[in-house]
Amino acid sequence: MSDMELYEGPLNVKEIFGRWLDEEAESNYGAYIPFVGTIREEEGIEALSFDIYEPILRQWFEAWQAKAAERGAKVKMAHSIGDVPVHTSSYISAVFSPRRRVALELIEEFVEDFKANAPIWKYDVIDGKRIYAADRSTPMEGAGILGIGNEERGI
Amino acid sequence: MSDMELYEGPLNVKEIFGRWLDEEAESNYGAYIPFVGTIREEEGIEALSFDIYEPILRQWFEAWQAKAAERGAKVKMAHSIGDVPVHTSSYISAVFSPRRRVALELIEEFVEDFKANAPIWKYDVIDGKRIYAADRSTPMEGAGILGIGNEERGI
Amino acid sequence: MVKVEFLGPIAREPMEVKAESLAELSKRLYDEETIRPWLEKCAVAINDVMVKDPNHPLKDGDRVSILPPVCGG
Amino acid sequence: MVKVEFLGPIAREPMEVKAESLAELSKRLYDEETIRPWLEKCAVAINDVMVKDPNHPLKDGDRVSILPPVCGG
Protein backbone atom coordinates (compact mmCIF):
# COMPACT_ATOMS: atom_id res chain seq x y z
CA MET A 1 0.00 0.00 0.00
CA SER A 2 1.50 3.31 -1.05
CA ASP A 3 -0.20 5.51 1.59
CA MET A 4 -2.06 7.29 -1.24
CA GLU A 5 -5.40 5.70 -2.05
CA LEU A 6 -7.91 6.61 -4.74
CA TYR A 7 -11.43 5.22 -4.79
CA GLU A 8 -14.39 5.40 -7.15
CA GLY A 9 -17.17 7.14 -5.19
CA PRO A 10 -17.39 7.88 -1.45
CA LEU A 11 -14.71 6.81 1.00
CA ASN A 12 -15.25 4.13 3.62
CA VAL A 13 -14.04 6.50 6.33
CA LYS A 14 -14.10 4.08 9.26
CA GLU A 15 -12.26 1.36 7.36
CA ILE A 16 -9.55 3.75 6.21
CA PHE A 17 -9.16 5.43 9.61
CA GLY A 18 -8.94 2.09 11.40
CA ARG A 19 -6.57 0.51 8.92
CA TRP A 20 -4.18 3.47 9.07
CA LEU A 21 -4.32 3.30 12.87
CA ASP A 22 -3.44 -0.40 12.72
CA GLU A 23 -0.67 0.10 10.15
CA GLU A 24 1.14 2.49 12.50
CA ALA A 25 0.20 0.73 15.77
CA GLU A 26 3.82 -0.26 16.45
CA SER A 27 5.52 2.76 14.84
CA ASN A 28 5.73 4.63 18.15
CA TYR A 29 4.01 7.78 16.91
CA GLY A 30 2.44 9.81 19.70
CA ALA A 31 0.03 11.81 17.54
CA TYR A 32 -2.32 10.78 14.72
CA ILE A 33 -4.40 13.54 13.13
CA PRO A 34 -6.72 12.68 10.25
CA PHE A 35 -8.66 15.37 8.41
CA VAL A 36 -11.96 14.03 7.04
CA GLY A 37 -13.68 16.08 4.34
CA THR A 38 -17.41 15.48 3.89
CA ILE A 39 -19.73 16.84 1.19
CA ARG A 40 -21.99 19.56 2.60
CA GLU A 41 -25.57 19.90 1.49
CA GLU A 42 -25.80 23.41 0.07
CA GLU A 43 -27.15 25.29 -2.90
CA GLY A 44 -29.20 22.38 -4.14
CA ILE A 45 -26.33 20.05 -4.97
CA GLU A 46 -26.92 16.32 -4.78
CA ALA A 47 -23.24 15.41 -4.95
CA LEU A 48 -19.80 16.69 -5.79
CA SER A 49 -17.80 14.97 -8.47
CA PHE A 50 -14.03 14.81 -8.92
CA ASP A 51 -11.52 14.34 -11.71
CA ILE A 52 -7.96 13.47 -10.70
CA TYR A 53 -4.77 13.47 -12.72
CA GLU A 54 -2.99 10.67 -10.95
CA PRO A 55 0.63 10.95 -12.19
CA ILE A 56 1.00 14.53 -10.94
CA LEU A 57 -0.97 13.83 -7.76
CA ARG A 58 1.41 10.99 -7.00
CA GLN A 59 4.43 13.27 -7.43
CA TRP A 60 2.83 15.91 -5.23
CA PHE A 61 2.17 13.26 -2.58
CA GLU A 62 5.67 11.78 -2.79
CA ALA A 63 7.18 15.23 -2.27
CA TRP A 64 5.03 15.50 0.84
CA GLN A 65 6.15 12.08 2.08
CA ALA A 66 9.74 13.33 1.86
CA LYS A 67 8.89 16.61 3.57
CA ALA A 68 7.12 14.77 6.42
CA ALA A 69 9.97 12.26 6.79
CA GLU A 70 12.44 15.12 7.28
CA ARG A 71 10.42 16.06 10.36
CA GLY A 72 10.13 12.48 11.61
CA ALA A 73 6.51 12.25 10.52
CA LYS A 74 4.40 10.30 8.03
CA VAL A 75 1.50 11.38 5.79
CA LYS A 76 -1.29 9.34 4.23
CA MET A 77 -4.18 10.34 2.03
CA ALA A 78 -7.29 8.98 0.37
CA HIS A 79 -9.51 10.69 -2.20
CA SER A 80 -12.56 9.91 -4.27
CA ILE A 81 -12.90 9.90 -8.05
CA GLY A 82 -16.31 10.57 -9.62
CA ASP A 83 -19.53 11.31 -7.76
CA VAL A 84 -19.70 11.64 -3.97
CA PRO A 85 -23.20 12.29 -2.55
CA VAL A 86 -23.87 14.91 0.13
CA HIS A 87 -23.10 13.76 3.69
CA THR A 88 -20.54 11.23 2.47
CA SER A 89 -16.77 11.79 2.43
CA SER A 90 -14.43 12.41 -0.48
CA TYR A 91 -11.15 13.15 1.26
CA ILE A 92 -8.99 12.03 4.16
CA SER A 93 -5.49 13.30 4.86
CA ALA A 94 -3.58 12.18 7.91
CA VAL A 95 -0.35 12.92 9.72
CA PHE A 96 1.44 10.63 12.15
CA SER A 97 4.22 12.14 14.23
CA PRO A 98 6.11 11.36 17.42
CA ARG A 99 5.00 14.68 18.94
CA ARG A 100 1.89 16.80 18.80
CA ARG A 101 3.47 20.11 17.67
CA VAL A 102 4.82 18.70 14.42
CA ALA A 103 1.57 16.84 13.80
CA LEU A 104 -0.56 19.96 14.31
CA GLU A 105 1.68 22.05 12.06
CA LEU A 106 1.92 19.43 9.33
CA ILE A 107 -1.78 18.61 9.09
CA GLU A 108 -2.52 22.28 8.44
CA GLU A 109 0.24 22.69 5.84
CA PHE A 110 -0.62 19.38 4.20
CA VAL A 111 -4.36 20.11 3.88
CA GLU A 112 -3.83 23.69 2.68
CA ASP A 113 -1.23 22.69 0.09
CA PHE A 114 -3.53 19.89 -1.02
CA LYS A 115 -6.34 22.38 -1.64
CA ALA A 116 -4.00 24.68 -3.55
CA ASN A 117 -1.90 22.27 -5.58
CA ALA A 118 -3.27 18.75 -5.86
CA PRO A 119 -4.40 18.16 -9.48
CA ILE A 120 -8.04 17.51 -8.67
CA TRP A 121 -11.05 19.17 -10.30
CA LYS A 122 -14.35 19.58 -8.54
CA TYR A 123 -17.84 19.70 -10.01
CA ASP A 124 -21.22 20.37 -8.45
CA VAL A 125 -23.76 17.75 -9.42
CA ILE A 126 -27.21 19.33 -9.86
CA ASP A 127 -30.06 17.50 -11.57
CA GLY A 128 -27.56 14.89 -12.64
CA LYS A 129 -25.40 17.47 -14.45
CA ARG A 130 -21.73 18.14 -13.62
CA ILE A 131 -20.88 21.85 -13.30
CA TYR A 132 -17.22 22.82 -12.83
CA ALA A 133 -16.76 24.63 -9.49
CA ALA A 134 -14.88 27.49 -11.18
CA ASP A 135 -15.38 30.07 -8.43
CA ARG A 136 -14.00 27.75 -5.73
CA SER A 137 -11.01 26.58 -7.77
CA THR A 138 -7.56 28.13 -7.65
CA PRO A 139 -4.77 28.18 -10.22
CA MET A 140 -1.94 25.79 -9.32
CA GLU A 141 1.54 26.99 -8.38
CA GLY A 142 3.23 28.00 -11.63
CA ALA A 143 -0.05 28.65 -13.42
CA GLY A 144 -0.09 31.34 -16.10
CA ILE A 145 3.07 30.45 -17.98
CA LEU A 146 1.11 30.06 -21.19
CA GLY A 147 -0.58 33.44 -20.70
CA ILE A 148 2.62 35.26 -19.76
CA GLY A 149 4.13 34.17 -23.03
CA ASN A 150 1.33 35.91 -24.92
CA GLU A 151 1.80 39.13 -23.03
CA GLU A 152 5.52 39.14 -23.64
CA ARG A 153 4.98 38.80 -27.34
CA GLY A 154 2.50 41.66 -27.24
CA ILE A 155 -0.46 39.63 -28.49
CA MET B 1 -23.88 11.55 25.66
CA SER B 2 -22.21 14.77 26.74
CA ASP B 3 -19.44 14.83 24.11
CA MET B 4 -16.89 14.45 26.94
CA GLU B 5 -16.07 10.84 27.72
CA LEU B 6 -13.82 9.41 30.43
CA TYR B 7 -12.73 5.77 30.46
CA GLU B 8 -10.79 3.54 32.81
CA GLY B 9 -7.71 2.42 30.85
CA PRO B 10 -6.97 2.72 27.11
CA LEU B 11 -9.47 4.19 24.66
CA ASN B 12 -11.23 2.12 22.03
CA VAL B 13 -10.11 4.54 19.34
CA LYS B 14 -11.97 3.01 16.40
CA GLU B 15 -15.25 2.78 18.29
CA ILE B 16 -15.03 6.39 19.46
CA PHE B 17 -13.94 7.76 16.07
CA GLY B 18 -16.71 5.87 14.27
CA ARG B 19 -19.43 6.75 16.75
CA TRP B 20 -18.56 10.46 16.61
CA LEU B 21 -18.61 10.26 12.80
CA ASP B 22 -22.07 8.67 12.95
CA GLU B 23 -23.38 11.15 15.53
CA GLU B 24 -22.61 14.05 13.17
CA ALA B 25 -23.41 12.25 9.92
CA GLU B 26 -26.41 14.49 9.23
CA SER B 27 -25.09 17.69 10.85
CA ASN B 28 -23.74 19.02 7.55
CA TYR B 29 -20.21 19.61 8.79
CA GLY B 30 -17.62 19.63 6.02
CA ALA B 31 -14.57 18.95 8.17
CA TYR B 32 -13.93 16.45 11.00
CA ILE B 33 -10.50 16.52 12.59
CA PRO B 34 -9.74 14.15 15.45
CA PHE B 35 -6.44 14.26 17.30
CA VAL B 36 -5.46 10.83 18.66
CA GLY B 37 -2.80 10.73 21.37
CA THR B 38 -0.96 7.44 21.80
CA ILE B 39 1.53 6.43 24.51
CA ARG B 40 5.07 6.33 23.10
CA GLU B 41 7.54 3.69 24.21
CA GLU B 42 10.43 5.67 25.66
CA GLU B 43 12.75 5.77 28.63
CA GLY B 44 11.72 2.36 29.86
CA ILE B 45 8.11 3.17 30.69
CA GLU B 46 5.54 0.41 30.46
CA ALA B 47 2.55 2.74 30.64
CA LEU B 48 1.45 6.24 31.48
CA SER B 49 -1.15 6.75 34.17
CA PHE B 50 -3.61 9.62 34.63
CA ASP B 51 -5.52 11.29 37.43
CA ILE B 52 -8.39 13.57 36.41
CA TYR B 53 -10.37 16.07 38.43
CA GLU B 54 -13.67 15.75 36.65
CA PRO B 55 -15.68 18.78 37.89
CA ILE B 56 -13.09 21.28 36.67
CA LEU B 57 -12.42 19.30 33.49
CA ARG B 58 -16.12 19.42 32.71
CA GLN B 59 -16.19 23.21 33.16
CA TRP B 60 -13.12 23.59 30.97
CA PHE B 61 -14.79 21.45 28.30
CA GLU B 62 -18.11 23.28 28.51
CA ALA B 63 -16.33 26.60 28.02
CA TRP B 64 -14.79 25.08 24.89
CA GLN B 65 -18.16 23.88 23.66
CA ALA B 66 -19.40 27.46 23.88
CA LYS B 67 -16.28 28.83 22.18
CA ALA B 68 -16.64 26.32 19.33
CA ALA B 69 -20.37 27.00 18.96
CA GLU B 70 -19.64 30.72 18.47
CA ARG B 71 -17.65 29.72 15.40
CA GLY B 72 -20.29 27.29 14.14
CA ALA B 73 -18.23 24.29 15.22
CA LYS B 74 -18.48 21.42 17.70
CA VAL B 75 -15.85 19.80 19.93
CA LYS B 76 -15.74 16.34 21.47
CA MET B 77 -13.18 14.67 23.68
CA ALA B 78 -12.34 11.37 25.32
CA HIS B 79 -9.61 10.67 27.90
CA SER B 80 -8.35 7.77 29.96
CA ILE B 81 -8.16 7.50 33.74
CA GLY B 82 -5.54 5.20 35.29
CA ASP B 83 -2.96 3.12 33.44
CA VAL B 84 -2.59 3.22 29.65
CA PRO B 85 0.08 0.86 28.24
CA VAL B 86 2.56 1.97 25.55
CA HIS B 87 1.17 1.88 21.99
CA THR B 88 -2.38 2.32 23.20
CA SER B 89 -4.27 5.63 23.25
CA SER B 90 -5.22 7.85 26.17
CA TYR B 91 -6.66 10.90 24.43
CA ILE B 92 -8.87 11.93 21.53
CA SER B 93 -10.02 15.46 20.85
CA ALA B 94 -12.08 16.29 17.80
CA VAL B 95 -13.48 19.30 15.99
CA PHE B 96 -16.39 19.31 13.56
CA SER B 97 -16.91 22.44 11.49
CA PRO B 98 -18.69 23.47 8.30
CA ARG B 99 -15.38 24.64 6.79
CA ARG B 100 -11.79 23.50 6.94
CA ARG B 101 -10.16 26.78 8.09
CA VAL B 102 -12.11 26.96 11.34
CA ALA B 103 -11.57 23.23 11.94
CA LEU B 104 -7.80 23.50 11.44
CA GLU B 105 -7.54 26.54 13.70
CA LEU B 106 -9.76 25.11 16.43
CA ILE B 107 -8.12 21.69 16.65
CA GLU B 108 -4.78 23.37 17.30
CA GLU B 109 -6.15 25.78 19.92
CA PHE B 110 -8.24 23.05 21.53
CA VAL B 111 -5.36 20.56 21.86
CA GLU B 112 -2.87 23.18 23.07
CA ASP B 113 -5.26 24.59 25.64
CA PHE B 114 -6.06 21.05 26.75
CA LYS B 115 -2.36 20.36 27.38
CA ALA B 116 -1.99 23.62 29.30
CA ASN B 117 -5.19 23.78 31.34
CA ALA B 118 -7.11 20.52 31.58
CA PRO B 119 -6.89 19.27 35.21
CA ILE B 120 -5.17 16.01 34.39
CA TRP B 121 -2.00 14.66 36.02
CA LYS B 122 0.35 12.31 34.25
CA TYR B 123 2.60 9.63 35.73
CA ASP B 124 5.22 7.39 34.16
CA VAL B 125 4.71 3.76 35.12
CA ILE B 126 8.07 2.02 35.55
CA ASP B 127 8.40 -1.37 37.26
CA GLY B 128 4.80 -1.00 38.32
CA LYS B 129 5.48 2.28 40.14
CA ARG B 130 3.76 5.58 39.33
CA ILE B 131 6.16 8.54 39.02
CA TYR B 132 4.66 12.02 38.56
CA ALA B 133 5.82 13.53 35.22
CA ALA B 134 6.91 16.76 36.92
CA ASP B 135 9.25 17.96 34.17
CA ARG B 136 6.56 17.63 31.47
CA SER B 137 3.82 19.26 33.51
CA THR B 138 2.91 22.94 33.41
CA PRO B 139 1.21 25.16 35.97
CA MET B 140 -2.40 25.92 35.05
CA GLU B 141 -3.60 29.40 34.13
CA GLY B 142 -3.88 31.33 37.39
CA ALA B 143 -1.34 29.15 39.18
CA GLY B 144 0.80 30.78 41.84
CA ILE B 145 -1.86 32.72 43.71
CA LEU B 146 -0.97 30.93 46.92
CA GLY B 147 2.73 31.70 46.44
CA ILE B 148 2.18 35.34 45.49
CA GLY B 149 0.38 35.84 48.76
CA ASN B 150 3.47 34.72 50.63
CA GLU B 151 5.72 37.09 48.74
CA GLU B 152 3.42 40.02 49.38
CA ARG B 153 3.50 39.34 53.07
CA GLY B 154 7.29 39.20 52.98
CA ILE B 155 7.54 35.59 54.18
CA MET C 1 -13.49 26.08 58.79
CA VAL C 2 -12.74 25.30 55.15
CA LYS C 3 -11.86 21.95 53.69
CA VAL C 4 -8.66 21.84 51.65
CA GLU C 5 -8.06 18.99 49.20
CA PHE C 6 -4.87 18.28 47.29
CA LEU C 7 -5.24 16.91 43.77
CA GLY C 8 -3.08 14.68 41.61
CA PRO C 9 0.44 14.01 42.79
CA ILE C 10 0.40 15.97 46.06
CA ALA C 11 0.60 13.18 48.62
CA ARG C 12 -1.49 14.76 51.29
CA GLU C 13 -4.84 13.90 52.86
CA PRO C 14 -7.56 16.61 52.87
CA MET C 15 -7.37 18.98 55.82
CA GLU C 16 -9.71 21.32 57.71
CA VAL C 17 -8.32 24.83 58.15
CA LYS C 18 -9.60 28.00 59.77
CA ALA C 19 -9.05 30.81 57.25
CA GLU C 20 -11.07 33.76 56.03
CA SER C 21 -9.24 34.38 52.78
CA LEU C 22 -6.97 32.59 50.37
CA ALA C 23 -4.09 34.75 51.59
CA GLU C 24 -4.67 33.52 55.12
CA LEU C 25 -4.96 29.91 53.96
CA SER C 26 -1.77 30.32 52.00
CA LYS C 27 0.06 31.30 55.18
CA ARG C 28 -1.18 28.16 56.94
CA LEU C 29 -0.21 25.90 54.09
CA TYR C 30 3.21 27.48 53.91
CA ASP C 31 3.93 26.10 57.35
CA GLU C 32 3.56 22.51 56.14
CA GLU C 33 6.80 21.22 54.69
CA THR C 34 5.22 18.67 52.35
CA ILE C 35 2.95 21.33 50.87
CA ARG C 36 5.23 24.37 50.73
CA PRO C 37 7.20 23.40 47.56
CA TRP C 38 3.94 23.01 45.61
CA LEU C 39 2.37 26.31 46.49
CA GLU C 40 3.78 28.67 43.88
CA LYS C 41 3.06 26.19 41.04
CA CYS C 42 -0.53 25.39 42.02
CA ALA C 43 -3.82 26.80 40.82
CA VAL C 44 -6.83 26.99 43.13
CA ALA C 45 -10.52 26.22 42.85
CA ILE C 46 -13.12 27.09 45.47
CA ASN C 47 -16.20 24.86 45.41
CA ASP C 48 -15.05 23.68 41.96
CA VAL C 49 -14.73 27.17 40.47
CA MET C 50 -11.25 28.31 39.46
CA VAL C 51 -10.19 31.52 41.24
CA LYS C 52 -7.52 34.04 40.29
CA ASP C 53 -7.58 36.51 43.18
CA PRO C 54 -5.04 35.77 45.95
CA ASN C 55 -7.24 37.68 48.40
CA HIS C 56 -10.40 35.78 47.57
CA PRO C 57 -12.52 35.53 50.77
CA LEU C 58 -13.36 32.13 52.24
CA LYS C 59 -16.47 31.27 54.15
CA ASP C 60 -17.31 28.46 56.51
CA GLY C 61 -17.80 25.18 54.64
CA ASP C 62 -15.93 26.22 51.48
CA ARG C 63 -14.07 23.45 49.71
CA VAL C 64 -10.67 24.57 48.39
CA SER C 65 -8.93 22.41 45.75
CA ILE C 66 -5.21 22.76 45.15
CA LEU C 67 -4.32 21.87 41.53
CA PRO C 68 -0.64 21.13 40.78
CA PRO C 69 0.95 21.41 37.28
CA VAL C 70 -0.94 19.41 34.67
CA CYS C 71 -0.11 17.31 31.65
CA GLY C 72 -3.06 15.69 29.91
CA GLY C 73 -3.02 13.86 26.62
CA MET D 1 5.00 17.27 -33.09
CA VAL D 2 3.93 17.35 -29.45
CA LYS D 3 0.74 15.96 -27.99
CA VAL D 4 -1.30 18.41 -25.93
CA GLU D 5 -3.91 17.12 -23.49
CA PHE D 6 -6.44 19.18 -21.57
CA LEU D 7 -7.27 18.05 -18.08
CA GLY D 8 -10.36 18.36 -15.90
CA PRO D 9 -13.08 20.72 -17.07
CA ILE D 10 -11.51 21.90 -20.35
CA ALA D 11 -13.82 20.35 -22.90
CA ARG D 12 -11.29 19.68 -25.60
CA GLU D 13 -9.89 16.50 -27.16
CA PRO D 14 -6.11 16.07 -27.16
CA MET D 15 -4.36 17.68 -30.14
CA GLU D 16 -1.09 17.29 -32.01
CA VAL D 17 0.83 20.55 -32.45
CA LYS D 18 4.11 21.51 -34.04
CA ALA D 19 5.97 23.65 -31.53
CA GLU D 20 9.56 23.89 -30.32
CA SER D 21 8.91 25.69 -27.06
CA LEU D 22 6.11 26.38 -24.65
CA ALA D 23 6.03 29.97 -25.86
CA GLU D 24 5.42 28.77 -29.39
CA LEU D 25 2.77 26.30 -28.23
CA SER D 26 1.11 29.07 -26.26
CA LYS D 27 0.76 31.13 -29.44
CA ARG D 28 -0.94 28.21 -31.22
CA LEU D 29 -3.32 27.57 -28.35
CA TYR D 30 -4.18 31.23 -28.17
CA ASP D 31 -5.72 30.97 -31.62
CA GLU D 32 -8.31 28.45 -30.40
CA GLU D 33 -11.33 30.21 -28.96
CA THR D 34 -12.36 27.38 -26.61
CA ILE D 35 -8.87 27.23 -25.14
CA ARG D 36 -7.89 30.91 -24.97
CA PRO D 37 -9.85 31.85 -21.80
CA TRP D 38 -8.17 29.03 -19.86
CA LEU D 39 -4.57 29.84 -20.75
CA GLU D 40 -3.59 32.39 -18.13
CA LYS D 41 -5.10 30.30 -15.29
CA CYS D 42 -3.52 26.97 -16.27
CA ALA D 43 -0.38 25.24 -15.08
CA VAL D 44 1.63 23.00 -17.40
CA ALA D 45 3.30 19.61 -17.13
CA ILE D 46 5.60 18.12 -19.76
CA ASN D 47 5.72 14.33 -19.70
CA ASP D 48 4.09 14.48 -16.27
CA VAL D 49 6.64 16.88 -14.78
CA MET D 50 5.40 20.32 -13.74
CA VAL D 51 7.27 23.16 -15.52
CA LYS D 52 7.61 26.81 -14.55
CA ASP D 53 9.58 28.29 -17.46
CA PRO D 54 7.42 29.85 -20.22
CA ASN D 55 10.27 29.31 -22.69
CA HIS D 56 10.75 25.63 -21.86
CA PRO D 57 11.84 23.83 -25.06
CA LEU D 58 9.70 21.08 -26.54
CA LYS D 59 10.92 18.09 -28.46
CA ASP D 60 9.23 15.72 -30.80
CA GLY D 61 6.95 13.29 -28.96
CA ASP D 62 6.62 15.38 -25.79
CA ARG D 63 3.31 15.14 -24.02
CA VAL D 64 2.09 18.49 -22.67
CA SER D 65 -0.66 18.54 -20.04
CA ILE D 66 -2.70 21.68 -19.42
CA LEU D 67 -3.95 21.83 -15.82
CA PRO D 68 -6.80 24.26 -15.04
CA PRO D 69 -7.54 25.67 -11.54
CA VAL D 70 -7.96 22.94 -8.93
CA CYS D 71 -10.14 22.28 -5.93
CA GLY D 72 -9.59 18.95 -4.22
CA GLY D 73 -11.04 17.82 -0.91
Side-chain angles (χ1 to χ4, degrees):
Chain A
M1 188 64 69
S2 81
D3 292 335
M4 183 186 109
E5 307 173 14
L6 302 178
Y7 296 88
E8 290 288 334
L11 301 181
N12 184 338
V13 175
K14 290 180 199 176
E15 187 279 328
I16 294 167
F17 171 87
R19 182 162 41 77
W20 289 355
L21 182 76
D22 291 342
E23 282 169 11
E24 306 303 334
E26 303 294 318
S27 307
N28 214 27
Y29 292 121
Y32 169 24
I33 311 181
F35 176 106
V36 181
T38 298
I39 312 301
R40 301 191 68 217
E41 185 169 10
E42 56 187 349
E43 290 167 26
I45 64 163
E46 53 214 44
L48 293 180
S49 192
F50 298 90
D51 289 340
I52 291 185
Y53 188 57
E54 189 170 340
I56 300 285
L57 179 60
R58 199 161 289 281
Q59 283 169 41
W60 175 88
F61 180 71
E62 284 165 3
W64 259 100
Q65 288 183 300
K67 206 181 300 188
E70 271 171 30
R71 301 175 71 176
K74 176 173 276 189
V75 289
K76 299 183 190 247
M77 66 160 285
H79 203 286
S80 298
I81 299 169
D83 288 7
V84 184
V86 295
H87 297 172
T88 66
S89 298
S90 56
Y91 171 50
I92 313 179
S93 275
V95 174
F96 289 85
S97 153
R99 310 250 165 233
R100 83 176 182 288
R101 273 314 313 161
V102 166
L104 286 165
E105 287 162 17
L106 278 182
I107 192 66
E108 172 158 10
E109 294 170 32
F110 187 43
V111 168
E112 291 296 342
D113 192 46
F114 175 85
K115 292 296 280 187
N117 288 306
I120 302 183
W121 297 279
K122 178 180 284 176
Y123 306 81
D124 292 330
V125 180
I126 299 175
D127 295 332
K129 278 200 286 281
R130 261 180 142 210
I131 302 152
Y132 174 53
D135 54 338
R136 284 168 281 156
S137 300
T138 49
M140 297 170 74
E141 212 176 297
I145 65 175
L146 296 172
I148 289 164
N150 288 317
E151 277 171 41
E152 282 174 352
R153 289 191 306 279
I155 296 177
Chain B
M1 188 65 69
S2 82
D3 291 337
M4 183 186 110
E5 306 173 15
L6 302 178
Y7 297 88
E8 289 289 333
L11 302 181
N12 184 338
V13 176
K14 289 180 198 176
E15 188 277 329
I16 293 167
F17 171 86
R19 182 162 42 77
W20 290 355
L21 183 75
D22 291 342
E23 282 169 10
E24 307 303 333
E26 303 294 317
S27 306
N28 214 26
Y29 291 122
Y32 170 24
I33 311 181
F35 176 105
V36 181
T38 298
I39 312 299
R40 301 190 69 217
E41 185 169 11
E42 56 187 349
E43 291 167 26
I45 64 163
E46 53 214 45
L48 294 180
S49 192
F50 299 90
D51 288 340
I52 292 184
Y53 188 56
E54 189 171 340
I56 300 285
L57 180 60
R58 199 161 289 283
Q59 282 170 41
W60 175 88
F61 180 71
E62 284 166 4
W64 260 100
Q65 287 184 301
K67 207 182 298 189
E70 271 172 29
R71 301 174 72 176
K74 178 173 273 186
V75 289
K76 298 182 191 249
M77 67 160 284
H79 203 286
S80 298
I81 299 169
D83 288 8
V84 184
V86 295
H87 296 171
T88 67
S89 298
S90 55
Y91 171 50
I92 313 179
S93 275
V95 174
F96 289 84
S97 153
R99 310 248 166 234
R100 83 176 181 289
R101 272 315 313 161
V102 166
L104 287 165
E105 287 162 17
L106 278 182
I107 191 67
E108 173 160 7
E109 294 169 33
F110 187 43
V111 169
E112 291 296 342
D113 192 45
F114 175 85
K115 292 297 280 189
N117 288 305
I120 301 182
W121 297 279
K122 178 180 284 176
Y123 306 81
D124 292 331
V125 180
I126 299 174
D127 295 332
K129 278 201 286 280
R130 263 181 141 210
I131 302 151
Y132 175 53
D135 54 339
R136 284 168 282 156
S137 300
T138 49
M140 297 170 74
E141 213 176 297
I145 65 173
L146 295 172
I148 289 165
N150 289 317
E151 276 171 42
E152 281 174 353
R153 289 192 306 281
I155 298 177
Chain C
M1 299 288 273
V2 299
K3 182 179 182 187
V4 185
E5 58 184 22
F6 302 90
L7 300 181
I10 312 180
R12 186 64 168 76
E13 291 301 300
M15 55 197 268
E16 302 270 338
V17 178
K18 197 166 157 46
E20 299 199 336
S21 73
L22 272 191
E24 196 185 335
L25 172 63
S26 166
K27 207 188 284 187
R28 298 291 165 100
L29 296 178
Y30 196 84
D31 293 338
E32 303 246 354
E33 281 202 25
T34 55
I35 299 172
R36 192 185 306 154
W38 291 101
L39 289 182
E40 64 181 11
K41 295 176 288 190
C42 284
V44 174
I46 300 177
N47 304 324
D48 289 339
V49 177
M50 301 296 292
V51 294
K52 303 280 166 77
D53 172 9
N55 295 305
H56 198 101
L58 294 173
K59 60 183 192 309
D60 207 40
D62 275 350
R63 191 166 48 81
V64 180
S65 306
I66 310 295
L67 297 94
V70 296
C71 184
Chain D
M1 300 288 271
V2 299
K3 182 180 183 186
V4 185
E5 57 184 23
F6 302 90
L7 300 181
I10 312 179
R12 186 65 167 77
E13 291 301 300
M15 56 196 270
E16 301 269 339
V17 178
K18 195 166 157 48
E20 300 199 336
S21 72
L22 272 191
E24 197 185 334
L25 172 62
S26 164
K27 206 188 285 185
R28 299 291 165 100
L29 295 178
Y30 196 85
D31 292 339
E32 304 246 353
E33 282 203 23
T34 55
I35 298 172
R36 192 185 307 153
W38 290 101
L39 288 183
E40 64 180 13
K41 294 177 287 190
C42 284
V44 175
I46 299 176
N47 305 323
D48 289 338
V49 176
M50 301 297 292
V51 293
K52 304 279 166 78
D53 173 10
N55 295 307
H56 198 101
L58 294 172
K59 60 182 193 309
D60 208 39
D62 275 350
R63 190 166 49 82
V64 180
S65 306
I66 310 295
L67 297 94
V70 296
C71 185

